[in-house]
Amino acid sequence: MPTNDPMQKKIQEALEKIQPTEEAKDRMYLEIMRRSALEDIAKREKIQKKPWYLRWQTSAIGTAALAFAIIFTAAIYTRIPQNGDE
């Protein structure tokens, strides 16, 4: 993004000349990894703070759907004629 401000140009030129050392790159990498780990821990804690009935909610819905499917299949099966009976 070009600017007409001479001070911003000088700052940008100075920042472009800065080259981080290998030690600085390693520190930056470690800091990124540390922050990522902290975010993962926070996400896990957030999930674990949910009450048990919310954590198992998906499983309960799946169980109810399976029960419905079994009952529906049994109801249809009992209405189908067996062995030539009408």
Side-chain angles (χ1 to χ4, degrees):
M1 180 166 103
T3 62
N4 293 331
D5 187 17
M7 183 59 91
Q8 283 185 342
K9 278 187 177 181
K10 287 182 181 181
I11 292 172
Q12 188 170 358
E13 288 172 3
L15 289 175
E16 287 174 357
K17 292 179 184 177
I18 295 175
Q19 294 295 322
T21 63
E22 289 301 315
E23 290 177 2
K25 289 179 183 179
D26 290 341
R27 286 193 309 268
M28 287 186 277
Y29 176 76
L30 290 174
E31 181 64 18
I32 290 168
M33 296 303 290
R34 185 185 69 82
R35 288 184 185 189
S36 175
L38 289 176
E39 288 176 6
D40 289 344
I41 290 170
K43 285 179 186 177
R44 274 190 249 124
E45 287 177 355
K46 184 178 180 182
I47 290 171
Q48 291 176 354
K49 288 182 182 178
K50 289 182 180 178
W52 67 270
Y53 54 87
L54 290 179
R55 280 184 271 158
W56 292 94
Q57 186 175 16
T58 305
S59 179
I61 292 170
T63 303
L66 180 61
F68 174 77
I70 291 170
I71 292 168
F72 182 75
T73 304
I76 289 178
Y77 182 76
T78 58
R79 299 201 184 259
I80 296 174
Q82 300 295 320
N83 299 327
D85 296 335
E86 290 186 30

